[in-house]
Structure formats: structure tokens, C-alpha cells
Amino acid sequence: MSASLTLSLDAMGGDNAPDIVVKGLQIARKRHPHVRYLLHGDESALRPAVTHGDGLDAICEIHHAEGVVGNDEKPSQAVRRGRGTSLWRAIQSVKDGTAAGVVSAGNTGAFMAMAKLALRTLPGIDRPAIAALMPTRRGDCVMLDLGANAECDADNLVQFAIMGEVFGRNVLGLREPTIGLLNIGTEDQKGTDTLRRASAVLRESSLPIRFEGFVEGDDIGKGTVDVVVTDGFTGNVALKAIEGTSKLYAGMIRSAFESSLSGRLGYLLVRSSINKVRARTDPRRYNGAMFLGLNGIAVKSHGGTDALGFANAIDVAVDLVTHGFNETIKGEFMKVQKASGLDPEGLEQAANG
Amino acid sequence: MSASLTLSLDAMGGDNAPDIVVKGLQIARKRHPHVRYLLHGDESALRPAVTHGDGLDAICEIHHAEGVVGNDEKPSQAVRRGRGTSLWRAIQSVKDGTAAGVVSAGNTGAFMAMAKLALRTLPGIDRPAIAALMPTRRGDCVMLDLGANAECDADNLVQFAIMGEVFGRNVLGLREPTIGLLNIGTEDQKGTDTLRRASAVLRESSLPIRFEGFVEGDDIGKGTVDVVVTDGFTGNVALKAIEGTSKLYAGMIRSAFESSLSGRLGYLLVRSSINKVRARTDPRRYNGAMFLGLNGIAVKSHGGTDALGFANAIDVAVDLVTHGFNETIKGEFMKVQKASGLDPEGLEQAANG
């Protein structure tokens, strides 16, 4: 727990920014009294909010930024003309070392493109991945990639597996996290060539990880493995299909309680238990998707979240920084790539260069 | 409603066959009194079950088959050595015209491989697709492909869209079913080249279908479109992720009610409403995945289903036959392919040949 941990925030990203950011900070301040924040955004909006923000002025430093990246802006466009925006500036604070991590609720594609350009990938990682925690029957699992790379080759998947494993061990505190590759069957011959190649590397190499082979879509909710590895297309569809189903269920259960007098009475009796289920599956609890594999911690909050959700995304960034995730990844990757025979020269050059 | 509709059943397929098949027939007999059944399987097991089966002997004809395709058998292996099996024989009854459709709860991959080999695809269709109904906030939608083709090109996706549209109009009775292509964003530039090409064909051609563009994973549960089109890999993962989430939710709600005395009391009050939710999302209600695009109706029941689920799969086959799904597809495809300029010569040759 560093006494001087500083995070950089894109104060203008998200549907209800900067309001959720400032209110989120009021929650985060109590959870992490030692953390300081650089707020990038419109000073005229941020200054009064922070001044009246219940002690926020003592932990926040406002950095004025004129522009805001639009939600519909294409990543390439945002990168070209977005250098003055709050998002770009927030990332720069990590690049120049004044902040240990950055959080934004803004445009995901632009955030990833800018973060890749500014921070670059860690040695040994060809492409960063988006990872997030998901609820399962036996606690949470981590799934990656959730949309950074629509198409992935076998090397990308192997690298994601290694990053997921380090995350499970380092941040979730699991002794031996189990890893599964998402496929449409568990037999060896199932799926695409890419998946079979990635599986062969993970299975046959001497990587010090517990690879459980292929898993299927329903294994996510079952919690069959601690780390679910997939390409960004499949991961994004699966994540959103799960979100859609959660909402469908929540809506049906709500209607069931509201549909009759006995339903409303019954609800009074089961309210506390139902609230536990609600809390367990609250999307805000799972807010904070991590961009893993970059030279710097970057966490994406859901654009439509509220103050509590934004505070939870800050938690994720604090967790990754205080557990030294990137330092561990760098160290592990050297060992792991040597063991697996995966391009160790390129890795060492990159590490020393 | 033909007075002489005959279906062919693989009586030995599924975890609890032939029990679920015979008990499923007792339910189906009441729902469809005009349907006759050819039961393929072990006569020594089927004869007594049918004889004591409450009038089943009047509507069933037993065709003895020695072998059974194993659940773990590879499709290629099943095709090579499975000619004497109940599954193969059941499909042959459709090929030789003695039955209008076939239902099996057996090995999906073997069923699809045998059905493709025996029945061949309809003119204009390069590859069959697996389709099923899914619950949404505004009724059901149909999704395809759910796993027949792990990799698809743009032409395959366009053909799936057309089949889905005909299914929506012809079987679901929708006047103008809406079609969406499953992607990781709704903007034109999102996703893979294959998806962008398929979208361009569906959007720019003069196909008489309502193509709504790209949809995302959460649009399935929202019911944004009537027909969700995707490749078999993504569709299978999404389907199973949705199933896994439904089970996760159902389990949590159950625990919530069981966790306390007030929960158990509350349950008594909301039971009827909760049962409605349960019935609405009952996997048995959605049992019966359709192999669309073959010269013959083929319906796959879930292997672990019970008698009610199997009876529902029979419903699906009856629906497809009585609505003349394949005849409509053939007619529509001629029109549609002429309109779209998609390889009409090949199609006409196939249709006339």
C-alpha cells in the first residue's frame, strides 16, 4: 500500500460525467484514503464540484483539458484529432509517470487505441486484452479478451492465458488458477485451427500453469475454471449475451413479484434474500474492465454506470497497482516464455531495449 | 394438416432413451392425433413399451435397428460405421420418403453429418444451419447457426438470414420478421471482414427482407430483432453462455428462497408467479433445435431432456412439416437469389438437376 499512489481520471468520459466521477471519488476517498487523483477535464465544471465535494480538493489535482472524445467517435479518428482531450491527457499522466494508472468511462475503442499508442504493450505481449470479472456459481472468474481484438491468432490466445493466470494468482490471490479456452465442445478436435494450436501450446509446453483444456459457454456461469480465455469477438458476444440474460431474468422476476397482491406480499418476506442476489449480480460490482498487457494500468468503466460503479472501477485500478500486476507480468513472462520456447529472443530484446 | 403425417424417430438417442421417447409419444399423441411414427431402435425394448403404452401401438411402427451411435462418437466415425444404427435408419426414412421428418435426441455432430450426407442441402443452400428459439423480453426470437459450422463465409451468413426470415414468416407467422447480424458493435466498420461483407449484401441487395444491420449479444435477450444470424462458433458460445446464466440465476433465486424461514414463507406467496417465470424460461419449452437447409425436416432434441422436452421437439418437427417450411424455402430462394444476384445459375441448375 503505497502512501503516494496516484491515479489519473478522465473526468469527462461516460454518459453522466463529470458528475459520476466526482461522486464516485467521494466513495473512493473513504475506501482508499491514501490515493491521490489527477482529474483531467473541463476545469470550470470540475473546480466547483471538487471544492464543494466534501474534502475532495485535498486529494484531487485538476488538469484542464478542452476536448472530450465523443461516444460515437471512431478510434482512428479519436487518435488523430484527440490529443487535447481529457482521455488523451489522462493516459499521458500514466505515460509520463505522474500517475500509476488511468480510469475512464469514455469511448472504449478510443481509450484502447490511445492507450496502446501511448503506453505500448509489455515485453512479450503482442496485443493487449480487455479482461473483466464475471459471476459464477462458485465465486468470480476472469474472462479475456472481451473485445480489444476481434481476431486473434494462437500466440495471442496463449499470451492472454498467461496474463489471466498471473491476474488470478497475483490479484485474485488464487494459488493455482485454472485456465480454460472457450470453444464449442471439450473434445480435442473441436473448434477452429487457431484454438487447437493454442491448446496444443498450452497443453504440451512446460508452462507452469494449470490448463484445463477447452470449456464451453455454460462453463462461464458454472465456474468450471478461474480464467476463461477467448478472442475478443467471442468474448464480447458472450459477455453481452450474459448481460442480456441477466437483465431478462431480473425483469421477469420483478414482474412476477409485481403481478399480484400475493406477489407483493411475498416480496416483503424475501426482500433481503433477493437483495443479496441483486448485490451478487449487480453490474456495478463487476464494473471496471482491465486493459491487460500495456505498460501502465488502464481501467475502463462502463459508460452508463453511476457513482458506485465508477468507485468500483477505481478499486480495480488500485488493486492492479498495489498488487504490482504489471511488474509480475514482466517477470513471469520472461520465465514463462523461456519455458514455452515462445520467441524468447524477441522478448529479451524488448525487455532490455 | 395432413391426415397422414408420418415422423421418423431415433428411439435410442438421448441419455434416457428409449424411455423419454415412448413417454414423449404419449404426450405427443394427444397434441397431434393425426401423426404416425416410425420408431427406429431395439425392438426387444420398444415392443413391450409400445404395447403397454396407452394406445401407442396404433400410431407407431417399430423398425428394428441393432446399433446405437454413442454420445462421444466423432461424426466422421459415426458416418463410417454407423449405417446399422437407429439414427442412420431414422434419417433414411426421410430420405426414402416414408417419413416427412426425423427427430433424435442423440449425438448432435453425428446427426448433422449423417443428415447432410443422406438428405443433402436444399438448392441454393451451401451449408445447413442449426436454429432454435430463444426467450426474449418481447416473445421469442430465432437464432442460427448454433454450431453446425464453426467457420462461415459471407454467403453462408446471407443464406442463414434468408432461411431465418422464411422461418419467421412461415412458421412463427410474423408478417415482416426483422433480421440482425450478431457483431461486437452496431457501427458499419465493426467486426470481421466476413460480417461486413454479409452486411453489405443484405443491406444493398434488393432482397425482400427487413435487415436491421448489426446487433450485439445483449440484443438477443432484448428481442431487438426476430432473427439473429451468426456463425456456428459464436452462436454456440452465445447459446450456452445464455443457458449457463439462466441456470446461475435460477440457482441463486432458489437459494434465496431456501436461505431463511421468511424466504420459505415468501415463496409460498409468490410461487405461482415464480412458476410462470420458470415455465417461460423452461429449457424444455425451447427444446428442439432445427437443422435448416436440408432436403428433409430434421430436429435435434437435447440429449438430457425428459418426456415433455421430447414431445416439444416433436412439436417443432410437426410445425416445420405442416407449414411446408422446406417447400417455401425452395420457392423463396429462387426469387431471393435472383433478386440478390447470388449465383442464380448454380441455383437453377441445382433446382432443375
Side-chain angles (χ1 to χ4, degrees), chain B residues 72-130:
Chain B
D72 300 326
E73 237 169 299
K74 287 189 195 175
S76 54
Q77 195 182 7
V79 165
R80 264 198 315 277
R81 45 139 251 106
R83 306 287 166 118
T85 59
S86 56
L87 178 55
W88 177 262
R89 298 283 182 82
I91 296 167
Q92 289 300 313
S93 293
V94 178
K95 190 186 180 187
D96 67 22
T98 43
V102 52
V103 181
S104 172
N107 180 324
T108 310
F111 188 10
M112 178 53 96
M114 287 177 167
K116 259 159 81 173
L117 186 69
L119 304 176
R120 307 276 167 184
T121 53
L122 287 167
I125 308 279
D126 296 320
R127 298 206 204 163
I130 301 178

Short mmCIF file of all heavy atoms in Angstrom, two decimals, chain B residues 72-130:
data_model
loop_
_atom_site.label_atom_id
_atom_site.label_comp_id
_atom_site.label_asym_id
_atom_site.label_seq_id
_atom_site.Cartn_x
_atom_site.Cartn_y
_atom_site.Cartn_z
N ASP B 72 -20.21 -39.96 -27.51
CA ASP B 72 -18.86 -39.43 -27.66
C ASP B 72 -18.25 -39.77 -29.01
O ASP B 72 -17.10 -39.44 -29.28
CB ASP B 72 -17.95 -39.98 -26.55
CG ASP B 72 -18.47 -39.58 -25.18
OD1 ASP B 72 -19.01 -38.46 -25.08
OD2 ASP B 72 -18.32 -40.37 -24.23
N GLU B 73 -19.04 -40.45 -29.86
CA GLU B 73 -18.50 -40.84 -31.16
C GLU B 73 -18.28 -39.61 -32.03
O GLU B 73 -19.11 -38.70 -32.08
CB GLU B 73 -19.48 -41.80 -31.85
CG GLU B 73 -18.83 -43.12 -32.22
CD GLU B 73 -19.86 -44.15 -32.66
OE1 GLU B 73 -20.75 -44.50 -31.84
OE2 GLU B 73 -19.78 -44.60 -33.80
N LYS B 74 -17.15 -39.59 -32.74
CA LYS B 74 -16.89 -38.49 -33.67
C LYS B 74 -17.83 -38.64 -34.86
O LYS B 74 -18.08 -39.75 -35.33
CB LYS B 74 -15.45 -38.54 -34.18
CG LYS B 74 -14.44 -38.13 -33.14
CD LYS B 74 -13.07 -37.99 -33.78
CE LYS B 74 -12.00 -37.95 -32.72
NZ LYS B 74 -10.65 -37.93 -33.28
N PRO B 75 -18.31 -37.51 -35.40
CA PRO B 75 -19.22 -37.56 -36.55
C PRO B 75 -18.66 -38.41 -37.69
O PRO B 75 -19.38 -39.24 -38.25
CB PRO B 75 -19.36 -36.10 -36.95
CG PRO B 75 -19.13 -35.33 -35.69
CD PRO B 75 -18.13 -36.13 -34.91
N SER B 76 -17.38 -38.23 -38.03
CA SER B 76 -16.81 -38.95 -39.17
C SER B 76 -16.86 -40.46 -38.93
O SER B 76 -17.18 -41.24 -39.82
CB SER B 76 -15.37 -38.50 -39.40
OG SER B 76 -14.62 -38.64 -38.21
N GLN B 77 -16.56 -40.84 -37.70
CA GLN B 77 -16.58 -42.25 -37.29
C GLN B 77 -18.02 -42.80 -37.37
O GLN B 77 -18.25 -43.89 -37.90
CB GLN B 77 -16.09 -42.29 -35.85
CG GLN B 77 -15.69 -43.62 -35.30
CD GLN B 77 -15.27 -43.49 -33.83
OE1 GLN B 77 -15.41 -42.43 -33.21
NE2 GLN B 77 -14.77 -44.57 -33.26
N ALA B 78 -18.96 -42.04 -36.86
CA ALA B 78 -20.37 -42.47 -36.86
C ALA B 78 -20.86 -42.68 -38.29
O ALA B 78 -21.57 -43.64 -38.58
CB ALA B 78 -21.23 -41.44 -36.14
N VAL B 79 -20.45 -41.77 -39.18
CA VAL B 79 -20.88 -41.90 -40.57
C VAL B 79 -20.28 -43.16 -41.20
O VAL B 79 -20.95 -43.89 -41.92
CB VAL B 79 -20.47 -40.64 -41.38
CG1 VAL B 79 -20.56 -40.89 -42.88
CG2 VAL B 79 -21.34 -39.45 -40.99
N ARG B 80 -19.01 -43.42 -40.89
CA ARG B 80 -18.33 -44.58 -41.48
C ARG B 80 -18.92 -45.90 -41.03
O ARG B 80 -19.17 -46.79 -41.82
CB ARG B 80 -16.84 -44.57 -41.11
CG ARG B 80 -15.94 -43.94 -42.15
CD ARG B 80 -14.48 -44.34 -41.96
NE ARG B 80 -14.02 -44.27 -40.59
CZ ARG B 80 -13.60 -43.17 -39.98
NH1 ARG B 80 -13.60 -42.02 -40.63
NH2 ARG B 80 -13.19 -43.19 -38.74
N ARG B 81 -19.14 -46.02 -39.73
CA ARG B 81 -19.51 -47.35 -39.24
C ARG B 81 -20.92 -47.40 -38.64
O ARG B 81 -21.29 -48.37 -38.00
CB ARG B 81 -18.49 -47.90 -38.24
CG ARG B 81 -17.97 -46.99 -37.17
CD ARG B 81 -17.84 -47.68 -35.82
NE ARG B 81 -18.89 -47.15 -34.94
CZ ARG B 81 -19.98 -47.79 -34.58
NH1 ARG B 81 -20.21 -48.99 -34.95
NH2 ARG B 81 -20.88 -47.20 -33.81
N GLY B 82 -21.71 -46.35 -38.90
CA GLY B 82 -23.00 -46.28 -38.20
C GLY B 82 -24.22 -46.58 -39.05
O GLY B 82 -25.34 -46.25 -38.67
N ARG B 83 -24.01 -47.27 -40.20
CA ARG B 83 -25.15 -47.46 -41.12
C ARG B 83 -26.25 -48.34 -40.54
O ARG B 83 -27.37 -48.31 -41.01
CB ARG B 83 -24.67 -48.06 -42.45
CG ARG B 83 -23.54 -47.30 -43.12
CD ARG B 83 -24.04 -46.00 -43.71
NE ARG B 83 -22.93 -45.12 -44.06
CZ ARG B 83 -22.67 -44.69 -45.30
NH1 ARG B 83 -23.43 -45.05 -46.30
NH2 ARG B 83 -21.65 -43.89 -45.51
N GLY B 84 -25.91 -49.16 -39.55
CA GLY B 84 -26.95 -50.01 -38.98
C GLY B 84 -27.62 -49.38 -37.76
O GLY B 84 -28.50 -49.99 -37.15
N THR B 85 -27.25 -48.17 -37.41
CA THR B 85 -27.75 -47.58 -36.16
C THR B 85 -29.15 -47.01 -36.32
O THR B 85 -29.61 -46.73 -37.42
CB THR B 85 -26.83 -46.44 -35.69
OG1 THR B 85 -26.77 -45.45 -36.73
CG2 THR B 85 -25.42 -46.95 -35.41
N SER B 86 -29.80 -46.84 -35.17
CA SER B 86 -31.15 -46.28 -35.14
C SER B 86 -31.17 -44.87 -35.73
O SER B 86 -32.12 -44.48 -36.41
CB SER B 86 -31.66 -46.25 -33.70
OG SER B 86 -30.77 -45.52 -32.87
N LEU B 87 -30.10 -44.10 -35.50
CA LEU B 87 -30.05 -42.73 -36.02
C LEU B 87 -30.02 -42.73 -37.55
O LEU B 87 -30.79 -42.03 -38.21
CB LEU B 87 -28.82 -42.02 -35.45
CG LEU B 87 -28.55 -40.59 -35.90
CD1 LEU B 87 -29.76 -39.69 -35.66
CD2 LEU B 87 -27.32 -40.01 -35.19
N TRP B 88 -29.12 -43.53 -38.11
CA TRP B 88 -29.00 -43.60 -39.56
C TRP B 88 -30.30 -44.07 -40.20
O TRP B 88 -30.79 -43.49 -41.17
CB TRP B 88 -27.85 -44.54 -39.94
CG TRP B 88 -27.68 -44.74 -41.41
CD1 TRP B 88 -28.14 -45.77 -42.17
CD2 TRP B 88 -27.03 -43.84 -42.31
NE1 TRP B 88 -27.81 -45.59 -43.48
CE2 TRP B 88 -27.13 -44.40 -43.60
CE3 TRP B 88 -26.39 -42.61 -42.16
CZ2 TRP B 88 -26.61 -43.78 -44.73
CZ3 TRP B 88 -25.86 -42.00 -43.29
CH2 TRP B 88 -25.97 -42.58 -44.55
N ARG B 89 -30.88 -45.12 -39.63
CA ARG B 89 -32.14 -45.66 -40.18
C ARG B 89 -33.26 -44.63 -40.10
O ARG B 89 -34.10 -44.53 -41.00
CB ARG B 89 -32.55 -46.92 -39.41
CG ARG B 89 -31.55 -48.07 -39.50
CD ARG B 89 -31.64 -48.77 -40.84
NE ARG B 89 -30.71 -49.89 -40.89
CZ ARG B 89 -30.95 -51.11 -40.37
NH1 ARG B 89 -32.11 -51.35 -39.78
NH2 ARG B 89 -30.06 -52.06 -40.46
N ALA B 90 -33.29 -43.89 -39.00
CA ALA B 90 -34.35 -42.89 -38.83
C ALA B 90 -34.24 -41.82 -39.91
O ALA B 90 -35.24 -41.36 -40.48
CB ALA B 90 -34.26 -42.26 -37.44
N ILE B 91 -33.00 -41.42 -40.23
CA ILE B 91 -32.79 -40.42 -41.28
C ILE B 91 -33.17 -41.00 -42.64
O ILE B 91 -33.78 -40.32 -43.48
CB ILE B 91 -31.32 -39.94 -41.28
CG1 ILE B 91 -30.99 -39.23 -39.95
CG2 ILE B 91 -31.05 -39.00 -42.45
CD1 ILE B 91 -29.51 -39.00 -39.72
N GLN B 92 -32.84 -42.28 -42.87
CA GLN B 92 -33.16 -42.93 -44.15
C GLN B 92 -34.66 -42.91 -44.45
O GLN B 92 -35.06 -42.81 -45.60
CB GLN B 92 -32.63 -44.37 -44.17
CG GLN B 92 -31.11 -44.48 -44.27
CD GLN B 92 -30.54 -43.83 -45.52
OE1 GLN B 92 -31.03 -44.03 -46.62
NE2 GLN B 92 -29.50 -43.02 -45.34
N SER B 93 -35.48 -43.00 -43.41
CA SER B 93 -36.93 -42.99 -43.63
C SER B 93 -37.37 -41.66 -44.23
O SER B 93 -38.36 -41.60 -44.96
CB SER B 93 -37.68 -43.21 -42.32
OG SER B 93 -37.46 -44.51 -41.84
N VAL B 94 -36.64 -40.58 -43.91
CA VAL B 94 -36.96 -39.29 -44.53
C VAL B 94 -36.43 -39.27 -45.96
O VAL B 94 -37.10 -38.82 -46.89
CB VAL B 94 -36.36 -38.12 -43.72
CG1 VAL B 94 -36.65 -36.78 -44.40
CG2 VAL B 94 -36.92 -38.13 -42.30
N LYS B 95 -35.24 -39.81 -46.14
CA LYS B 95 -34.65 -39.83 -47.48
C LYS B 95 -35.52 -40.61 -48.46
O LYS B 95 -35.76 -40.16 -49.58
CB LYS B 95 -33.25 -40.45 -47.43
CG LYS B 95 -32.52 -40.26 -48.75
CD LYS B 95 -31.20 -40.97 -48.81
CE LYS B 95 -30.57 -40.70 -50.17
NZ LYS B 95 -29.37 -41.49 -50.38
N ASP B 96 -36.01 -41.78 -48.02
CA ASP B 96 -36.79 -42.60 -48.95
C ASP B 96 -38.26 -42.18 -49.01
O ASP B 96 -39.06 -42.80 -49.70
CB ASP B 96 -36.62 -44.09 -48.63
CG ASP B 96 -37.22 -44.50 -47.29
OD1 ASP B 96 -38.12 -43.80 -46.78
OD2 ASP B 96 -36.79 -45.53 -46.74
N GLY B 97 -38.61 -41.13 -48.28
CA GLY B 97 -39.95 -40.55 -48.41
C GLY B 97 -41.01 -41.20 -47.55
O GLY B 97 -42.18 -40.82 -47.63
N THR B 98 -40.66 -42.16 -46.71
CA THR B 98 -41.70 -42.77 -45.86
C THR B 98 -42.04 -41.89 -44.66
O THR B 98 -43.09 -42.04 -44.08
CB THR B 98 -41.29 -44.18 -45.38
OG1 THR B 98 -39.92 -44.17 -44.99
CG2 THR B 98 -41.48 -45.21 -46.48
N ALA B 99 -41.14 -40.98 -44.30
CA ALA B 99 -41.44 -40.04 -43.22
C ALA B 99 -41.17 -38.61 -43.69
O ALA B 99 -40.32 -38.39 -44.55
CB ALA B 99 -40.60 -40.35 -41.98
N ALA B 100 -41.90 -37.65 -43.10
CA ALA B 100 -41.74 -36.25 -43.51
C ALA B 100 -40.66 -35.55 -42.71
O ALA B 100 -40.21 -34.46 -43.09
CB ALA B 100 -43.07 -35.52 -43.34
N GLY B 101 -40.26 -36.16 -41.61
CA GLY B 101 -39.23 -35.52 -40.79
C GLY B 101 -38.69 -36.51 -39.78
O GLY B 101 -39.28 -37.56 -39.53
N VAL B 102 -37.53 -36.17 -39.21
CA VAL B 102 -36.88 -37.06 -38.25
C VAL B 102 -36.54 -36.29 -36.98
O VAL B 102 -36.16 -35.12 -37.04
CB VAL B 102 -35.62 -37.72 -38.87
CG1 VAL B 102 -34.68 -36.68 -39.48
CG2 VAL B 102 -34.86 -38.56 -37.84
N VAL B 103 -36.70 -36.95 -35.83
CA VAL B 103 -36.34 -36.35 -34.54
C VAL B 103 -35.38 -37.30 -33.82
O VAL B 103 -35.64 -38.51 -33.76
CB VAL B 103 -37.57 -36.10 -33.65
CG1 VAL B 103 -37.17 -35.46 -32.32
CG2 VAL B 103 -38.60 -35.23 -34.37
N SER B 104 -34.29 -36.75 -33.27
CA SER B 104 -33.37 -37.56 -32.47
C SER B 104 -32.84 -36.75 -31.30
O SER B 104 -32.59 -35.55 -31.43
CB SER B 104 -32.18 -38.04 -33.32
OG SER B 104 -31.20 -38.67 -32.49
N ALA B 105 -32.66 -37.42 -30.16
CA ALA B 105 -32.01 -36.79 -29.01
C ALA B 105 -30.57 -37.27 -28.87
O ALA B 105 -29.94 -37.08 -27.84
CB ALA B 105 -32.80 -37.10 -27.73
N GLY B 106 -30.06 -37.86 -29.96
CA GLY B 106 -28.71 -38.44 -29.92
C GLY B 106 -27.60 -37.43 -30.18
O GLY B 106 -27.81 -36.22 -30.09
N ASN B 107 -26.45 -37.95 -30.53
CA ASN B 107 -25.22 -37.21 -30.81
C ASN B 107 -25.41 -36.15 -31.92
O ASN B 107 -25.65 -36.49 -33.07
CB ASN B 107 -24.19 -38.29 -31.23
CG ASN B 107 -22.83 -37.74 -31.55
OD1 ASN B 107 -22.69 -36.67 -32.11
ND2 ASN B 107 -21.81 -38.51 -31.19
N THR B 108 -25.32 -34.87 -31.54
CA THR B 108 -25.61 -33.77 -32.48
C THR B 108 -24.72 -33.81 -33.72
O THR B 108 -25.21 -33.70 -34.85
CB THR B 108 -25.40 -32.40 -31.81
OG1 THR B 108 -26.10 -32.39 -30.57
CG2 THR B 108 -25.93 -31.28 -32.69
N GLY B 109 -23.41 -33.95 -33.50
CA GLY B 109 -22.49 -33.92 -34.63
C GLY B 109 -22.74 -35.06 -35.59
O GLY B 109 -22.73 -34.87 -36.82
N ALA B 110 -23.00 -36.26 -35.05
CA ALA B 110 -23.27 -37.43 -35.89
C ALA B 110 -24.59 -37.25 -36.64
O ALA B 110 -24.70 -37.56 -37.83
CB ALA B 110 -23.32 -38.70 -35.04
N PHE B 111 -25.60 -36.70 -35.95
CA PHE B 111 -26.91 -36.48 -36.56
C PHE B 111 -26.74 -35.53 -37.75
O PHE B 111 -27.22 -35.80 -38.86
CB PHE B 111 -27.85 -35.90 -35.50
CG PHE B 111 -29.31 -35.78 -35.90
CD1 PHE B 111 -29.81 -36.34 -37.07
CD2 PHE B 111 -30.20 -35.10 -35.06
CE1 PHE B 111 -31.16 -36.22 -37.40
CE2 PHE B 111 -31.54 -34.98 -35.38
CZ PHE B 111 -32.02 -35.53 -36.56
N MET B 112 -26.04 -34.41 -37.53
CA MET B 112 -25.86 -33.43 -38.60
C MET B 112 -25.06 -34.04 -39.76
O MET B 112 -25.43 -33.87 -40.93
CB MET B 112 -25.18 -32.18 -38.05
CG MET B 112 -24.88 -31.10 -39.08
SD MET B 112 -26.30 -30.59 -40.10
CE MET B 112 -26.87 -29.13 -39.22
N ALA B 113 -23.99 -34.77 -39.45
CA ALA B 113 -23.15 -35.33 -40.51
C ALA B 113 -23.94 -36.34 -41.34
O ALA B 113 -23.90 -36.34 -42.58
CB ALA B 113 -21.91 -35.99 -39.91
N MET B 114 -24.70 -37.21 -40.66
CA MET B 114 -25.49 -38.22 -41.36
C MET B 114 -26.62 -37.57 -42.17
O MET B 114 -26.92 -37.97 -43.30
CB MET B 114 -26.09 -39.21 -40.36
CG MET B 114 -25.06 -40.18 -39.77
SD MET B 114 -25.89 -41.22 -38.51
CE MET B 114 -24.63 -42.50 -38.27
N ALA B 115 -27.26 -36.57 -41.57
CA ALA B 115 -28.38 -35.90 -42.25
C ALA B 115 -27.89 -35.17 -43.50
O ALA B 115 -28.54 -35.19 -44.55
CB ALA B 115 -29.08 -34.93 -41.29
N LYS B 116 -26.71 -34.54 -43.41
CA LYS B 116 -26.14 -33.85 -44.57
C LYS B 116 -25.85 -34.85 -45.69
O LYS B 116 -26.16 -34.62 -46.85
CB LYS B 116 -24.82 -33.16 -44.18
CG LYS B 116 -24.95 -31.68 -43.95
CD LYS B 116 -23.83 -31.15 -43.10
CE LYS B 116 -22.53 -30.88 -43.83
NZ LYS B 116 -21.57 -30.19 -42.92
N LEU B 117 -25.26 -35.98 -45.29
CA LEU B 117 -24.87 -36.99 -46.26
C LEU B 117 -26.10 -37.60 -46.92
O LEU B 117 -26.15 -37.77 -48.15
CB LEU B 117 -24.06 -38.08 -45.55
CG LEU B 117 -23.46 -39.15 -46.43
CD1 LEU B 117 -22.34 -38.58 -47.28
CD2 LEU B 117 -22.94 -40.31 -45.58
N ALA B 118 -27.10 -37.92 -46.13
CA ALA B 118 -28.27 -38.63 -46.66
C ALA B 118 -29.24 -37.67 -47.35
O ALA B 118 -29.76 -37.99 -48.42
CB ALA B 118 -28.99 -39.36 -45.53
N LEU B 119 -29.47 -36.52 -46.78
CA LEU B 119 -30.54 -35.66 -47.29
C LEU B 119 -30.04 -34.59 -48.25
O LEU B 119 -30.79 -34.10 -49.08
CB LEU B 119 -31.29 -34.99 -46.13
CG LEU B 119 -31.88 -35.94 -45.07
CD1 LEU B 119 -32.51 -35.15 -43.93
CD2 LEU B 119 -32.90 -36.89 -45.70
N ARG B 120 -28.76 -34.22 -48.14
CA ARG B 120 -28.18 -33.14 -48.95
C ARG B 120 -28.88 -31.80 -48.65
O ARG B 120 -29.96 -31.77 -48.11
CB ARG B 120 -28.28 -33.43 -50.46
CG ARG B 120 -27.73 -34.78 -50.88
CD ARG B 120 -26.24 -34.73 -51.07
NE ARG B 120 -25.69 -36.10 -51.15
CZ ARG B 120 -24.40 -36.37 -51.26
NH1 ARG B 120 -23.51 -35.38 -51.28
NH2 ARG B 120 -23.97 -37.60 -51.31
N THR B 121 -28.20 -30.73 -49.09
CA THR B 121 -28.78 -29.41 -48.82
C THR B 121 -29.79 -29.03 -49.90
O THR B 121 -29.75 -29.55 -51.01
CB THR B 121 -27.68 -28.33 -48.75
OG1 THR B 121 -26.90 -28.39 -49.95
CG2 THR B 121 -26.79 -28.53 -47.55
N LEU B 122 -30.68 -28.14 -49.54
CA LEU B 122 -31.67 -27.62 -50.47
C LEU B 122 -30.96 -26.82 -51.56
O LEU B 122 -29.88 -26.29 -51.34
CB LEU B 122 -32.64 -26.68 -49.73
CG LEU B 122 -33.66 -27.34 -48.81
CD1 LEU B 122 -34.31 -26.29 -47.91
CD2 LEU B 122 -34.71 -28.07 -49.63
N PRO B 123 -31.56 -26.71 -52.74
CA PRO B 123 -30.95 -25.91 -53.80
C PRO B 123 -30.72 -24.48 -53.30
O PRO B 123 -31.60 -23.89 -52.69
CB PRO B 123 -31.98 -25.92 -54.92
CG PRO B 123 -33.08 -26.81 -54.50
CD PRO B 123 -32.82 -27.34 -53.15
N GLY B 124 -29.52 -23.96 -53.55
CA GLY B 124 -29.23 -22.59 -53.13
C GLY B 124 -28.58 -22.49 -51.77
O GLY B 124 -28.08 -21.45 -51.38
N ILE B 125 -28.60 -23.59 -51.01
CA ILE B 125 -28.01 -23.58 -49.66
C ILE B 125 -26.70 -24.37 -49.69
O ILE B 125 -26.70 -25.55 -50.03
CB ILE B 125 -28.97 -24.23 -48.63
CG1 ILE B 125 -30.36 -23.64 -48.69
CG2 ILE B 125 -28.38 -24.15 -47.22
CD1 ILE B 125 -30.53 -22.34 -47.98
N ASP B 126 -25.60 -23.70 -49.35
CA ASP B 126 -24.31 -24.40 -49.32
C ASP B 126 -24.16 -25.25 -48.07
O ASP B 126 -23.57 -26.32 -48.11
CB ASP B 126 -23.16 -23.40 -49.39
CG ASP B 126 -23.16 -22.65 -50.71
OD1 ASP B 126 -23.43 -23.29 -51.74
OD2 ASP B 126 -22.93 -21.42 -50.70
N ARG B 127 -24.66 -24.73 -46.96
CA ARG B 127 -24.49 -25.45 -45.70
C ARG B 127 -25.74 -25.33 -44.84
O ARG B 127 -26.31 -24.24 -44.72
CB ARG B 127 -23.34 -24.85 -44.90
CG ARG B 127 -22.00 -24.94 -45.60
CD ARG B 127 -20.93 -24.93 -44.55
NE ARG B 127 -19.67 -24.46 -45.04
CZ ARG B 127 -18.69 -24.05 -44.26
NH1 ARG B 127 -18.86 -24.03 -42.94
NH2 ARG B 127 -17.54 -23.65 -44.76
N PRO B 128 -26.16 -26.41 -44.23
CA PRO B 128 -27.29 -26.33 -43.31
C PRO B 128 -26.88 -25.58 -42.04
O PRO B 128 -25.70 -25.44 -41.76
CB PRO B 128 -27.60 -27.79 -42.99
CG PRO B 128 -26.33 -28.51 -43.24
CD PRO B 128 -25.57 -27.75 -44.29
N ALA B 129 -27.85 -25.10 -41.31
CA ALA B 129 -27.58 -24.40 -40.05
C ALA B 129 -28.46 -24.98 -38.97
O ALA B 129 -29.54 -25.51 -39.25
CB ALA B 129 -27.85 -22.92 -40.20
N ILE B 130 -27.99 -24.90 -37.73
CA ILE B 130 -28.82 -25.29 -36.59
C ILE B 130 -29.49 -24.03 -36.06
O ILE B 130 -28.83 -23.02 -35.81
CB ILE B 130 -27.98 -25.97 -35.49
CG1 ILE B 130 -27.27 -27.21 -36.05
CG2 ILE B 130 -28.85 -26.33 -34.30
CD1 ILE B 130 -26.37 -27.93 -35.04
#
